[in-house]
Amino acid sequence: MSISNSLTKLLLFLLGISPITFLHPKFPIKEATIQDLQTAFQQNKLTSKELVQFYLQQIQKLNPTLRAVIEVNPDALKQAEEADRRRAKLNKGHHSSLYKAATSLLDGIPILLKDNIATKDKLNTTAGSYALLGSVVPRDAGVVKRLRKAGAIILGKASLSEWANFRSTAAPGGWCARGGQGQNPYNLSANPCGSSSGSAIAAAANLAAVTLGTETDGSILCPSSTNSVVGFKPTRGLTSRGGVIPITPTQDSVGPVCRTVADATYVLDSIVGYDPYDSKATRNARKYIPQGGYAQFLKINGLKGKRLGIVRDPFFDYIKGFPIQDTAFKQHFDTLRGKGAVLVDNIIVPNIEAIMSQNNELTVMLAEFKLSLNSYLKQLIKSPVRSLADVIEFNNKHAQKEMIKEYNQELFIAAEATNGIGPKENEALATLAEWTKDGFEKVMAEHKLDAIITPAYYFSSVLAIGGFPGISVPAGYEKDGVPFGICFGGLKGTEPKLIEIAYGFEQATQIRKPPVL
């Protein structure tokens, strides 16, 4: 069900929700964390149904402007009622400790999914394109299966940069044909950044408790930085890409976009693990999952003893032209030192300029996109398109709807012209692997670093080509109100360290504030 304001009002009316903005008398829902919500459930101050009603109201009120949500799930309230029944049953006879032991922290919590993550329900999965409207997926995506098992409520689909920003270089960040132009809630004229724009906007503006995004290169880290939320891009294969509309298996990753490091960690805990539909990557990454999960690394003193590398050239040199950011990061470095971190300054990553040019990366992405998208489309039970060539043709036929004249589809056309993984692609893959080994990995080992610090999302290409994890945490606001983040990037499987660092930084600085809407 597409979110036009009138349709949302109709849905709310049919569900018996008052058109007056829903505010719970006993519990302030805005900015509430997963832990806050679970405590409110336990103390009978809130039900999952009331929580879903609140978010539906928020979407009704704010989405016509923000364009963060493409569809709401008509079964969301039903799922919420089921969660409330589960809770009531386990709490009967005051077995609250039994309830705590028997349920996940995500039980009864509403989550929005980026619209390239498949759900086998009444929701569409379209990557924001009309070409896939009405297509039927064979099954839930691997991460969705895990979310359902954890008791999470699928609230709906978040908007995105269409086709995860891989149709064209001309389209603005946050635009897709189905959802329109997503807006940054802190400054409506600012770029919300892509491609997980809707997930970040929705988390920032309290349209859902938590959200899920995907990243190929910067697609979680950039919108999280620009919308003052926490974005966690995991090690490639730690979370399954099975059932996710692909760009490239070499780089794609699924991760949380939330308001706090703790919430992102709880979501990560719920979605990691082996999936037969992404068997090679998830099998290889399984060894990185710590016994007892990730929440144990939410330590207030997590920065103590951590060795953090600062890449001045080109990243912090670049922000010298932005005095507010430059000043903020100088303060952040003092905070990090004050909390016991060791800062190793002026780290030079070899081949950084070549990596940032993205030429070899694009060579691989174009070829892998065609192969993996064709494979995804062929597996659909029902679909208006069955290949990349079909999608190109669809766009040409529906050029007005898809704004082909304005934004074109040159990446699609370039990808369609590729012919599998040949000598050129293999050479590009070998070069990227060499740059990773002789660059980021070597620097991390030589300086005994736990993480690299960069502003915003600027390190995303280095992390992308090696399948490395990164986490973006709110770091400040420009004078026009537009947020900026700090990114901590590490080697494969270092999520525990990154959580300790990010949580320690977040707790010491407390920078995130909700947008004034």
Side-chain angles (χ1 to χ4, degrees):
M1 177 174 173
S2 269
I3 295 286
S4 70
N5 202 23
S6 55
L7 280 175
T8 311
K9 280 179 180 170
L10 175 63
L11 175 67
L12 291 167
F13 173 75
L14 292 171
L15 295 172
I17 303 172
S18 156
I20 299 161
T21 301
F22 178 90
L23 289 170
H24 198 273
K26 296 183 201 165
F27 178 75
I29 296 172
K30 278 186 184 178
E31 294 291 295
T33 65
I34 289 172
Q35 285 280 16
D36 293 337
L37 295 170
Q38 290 295 352
T39 302
F41 292 157
Q42 284 305 297
Q43 293 174 352
N44 293 318
K45 289 180 179 176
L46 183 70
T47 65
S48 290
K49 185 178 179 180
E50 288 168 335
L51 186 59
V52 168
Q53 287 173 330
F54 171 80
Y55 289 128
L56 288 172
Q57 286 284 12
Q58 285 284 98
I59 292 165
Q60 179 203 358
K61 183 174 146 191
L62 300 174
N63 202 61
T65 301
L66 298 179
R67 298 281 174 190
V69 183
I70 292 186
E71 298 188 24
V72 291
N73 187 355
D75 290 332
L77 277 173
K78 191 173 129 194
Q79 288 177 26
E81 286 165 355
E82 283 167 11
D84 289 333
R85 277 195 296 273
R86 275 197 305 275
R87 195 178 303 114
K89 195 174 173 184
L90 282 165
N91 274 340
K92 214 171 183 181
H94 307 289
H95 293 305
S96 58
S97 58
L98 176 68
Y99 170 76
K100 206 170 183 182
T103 58
S104 123
L105 272 169
L106 286 198
D107 192 49
I109 302 292
I111 184 166
L112 278 170
L113 310 172
K114 186 176 177 180
D115 183 43
N116 59 349
I117 300 171
T119 52
K120 184 74 172 161
D121 54 16
K122 291 170 188 170
L123 291 163
N124 283 285
T125 305
T126 69
S129 167
Y130 284 109
L132 280 175
L133 190 60
S135 63
V136 178
V137 299
R139 66 191 74 84
D140 277 338
V143 290
V144 175
K145 189 179 174 186
R146 289 184 177 275
L147 287 169
R148 291 199 203 274
K149 191 179 173 188
I153 295 158
I154 308 302
L155 184 63
K157 293 291 178 80
S159 186
L160 70 165
S161 304
E162 190 173 302
W163 292 103
N165 225 5
F166 205 67
R167 189 188 94 179
S168 146
T169 55
W175 176 86
C176 67
R178 286 193 63 217
Q181 179 61 54
Q183 304 281 13
N184 188 316
Y186 291 88
N187 182 329
L188 297 177
S189 63
N191 182 0
C193 202
S195 69
S196 303
S197 47
S199 303
I201 295 163
N206 284 279
L207 303 187
V210 290
T211 74
L212 209 55
T214 66
E215 173 150 349
T216 303
D217 184 341
S219 291
I220 286 174
L221 299 176
C222 184
S224 297
S225 172
T226 312
N227 292 280
S228 201
V229 287
V230 175
F232 205 156
K233 177 242 181 184
T235 299
R236 184 187 62 235
L238 199 63
T239 54
S240 168
R241 291 86 50 88
V244 176
I245 298 172
I247 293 180
T248 162
T250 300
Q251 293 181 195
D252 291 350
S253 190
V254 180
V257 181
C258 304
R259 287 181 290 276
T260 66
V261 174
D263 283 1
T265 303
Y266 300 143
V267 174
L268 184 69
D269 259 333
S270 297
I271 60 173
V272 296
Y274 175 76
D275 178 18
Y277 296 103
D278 187 13
S279 58
K280 189 182 173 187
T282 54
R283 188 183 293 116
N284 289 343
R286 197 161 45 177
K287 62 179 177 281
Y288 297 128
I289 301 171
Q291 198 172 356
Y294 291 101
Q296 62 186 303
F297 300 102
L298 294 164
K299 298 174 182 173
I300 199 80
N301 63 345
L303 283 163
K304 199 170 181 185
K306 293 291 188 297
R307 290 178 61 82
L308 308 176
I310 300 170
V311 183
R312 296 271 177 193
D313 180 17
F315 307 118
F316 285 104
D317 289 349
Y318 171 73
I319 66 160
K320 281 178 182 170
F322 300 89
I324 289 174
Q325 291 189 44
D326 195 36
T327 302
F329 277 104
K330 282 172 184 164
Q331 290 169 352
H332 294 333
F333 294 159
D334 289 343
T335 300
L336 292 166
R337 286 190 194 98
K339 291 294 175 182
V342 177
L343 300 194
V344 185
D345 211 341
N346 292 306
I347 294 289
I348 303 293
V349 179
N351 299 309
I352 192 73
E353 295 296 340
I355 293 168
M356 299 285 284
S357 78
Q358 299 182 320
N359 293 335
N360 283 295
E361 187 183 359
L362 185 60
T363 297
V364 176
M365 285 165 77
L366 289 169
E368 289 194 341
F369 176 67
K370 180 183 175 180
L371 293 171
S372 50
L373 182 67
N374 285 350
S375 172
Y376 173 88
L377 294 173
K378 282 188 178 79
Q379 289 170 45
L380 293 173
I381 288 168
K382 180 185 157 195
S383 177
V385 288
R386 288 292 181 184
S387 66
L388 176 56
D390 288 351
V391 179
I392 293 168
E393 191 183 339
F394 177 95
N395 288 341
N396 288 331
K397 273 185 187 167
H398 303 87
Q400 199 172 347
K401 258 177 148 177
E402 286 288 341
M403 297 188 74
I404 294 299
K405 192 179 172 186
E406 295 82 356
Y407 301 146
N408 66 57
Q409 54 179 335
E410 88 279 6
L411 291 177
F412 276 9
I413 291 162
E416 181 55 29
T418 61
N419 207 5
I421 306 296
K424 185 172 77 165
E425 288 77 18
N426 280 320
E427 190 184 336
L429 279 163
T431 302
L432 293 172
E434 193 181 308
W435 286 347
T436 290
K437 184 169 163 262
D438 298 339
F440 182 53
E441 288 181 340
K442 193 176 178 184
V443 162
M444 292 291 284
E446 276 180 359
H447 297 280
K448 298 182 174 63
L449 298 177
D450 295 299
I452 290 268
I453 308 172
T454 53
Y457 60 95
Y458 304 147
F459 207 54
S460 68
S461 292
V462 176
L463 300 176
I465 64 170
F468 300 117
I471 185 165
S472 178
V473 182
Y477 304 86
E478 273 292 354
K479 59 177 179 284
D480 60 359
V482 178
F484 55 89
I486 184 170
C487 180
F488 303 101
L491 295 173
K492 284 180 185 174
T494 58
E495 279 80 1
K497 284 181 184 177
L498 293 181
I499 290 165
E500 288 180 343
I501 294 162
Y503 186 70
F505 173 81
E506 176 197 54
Q507 295 304 303
T509 55
Q510 297 288 330
I511 283 166
R512 172 171 162 81
K513 58 186 181 189
V516 179
L517 291 157

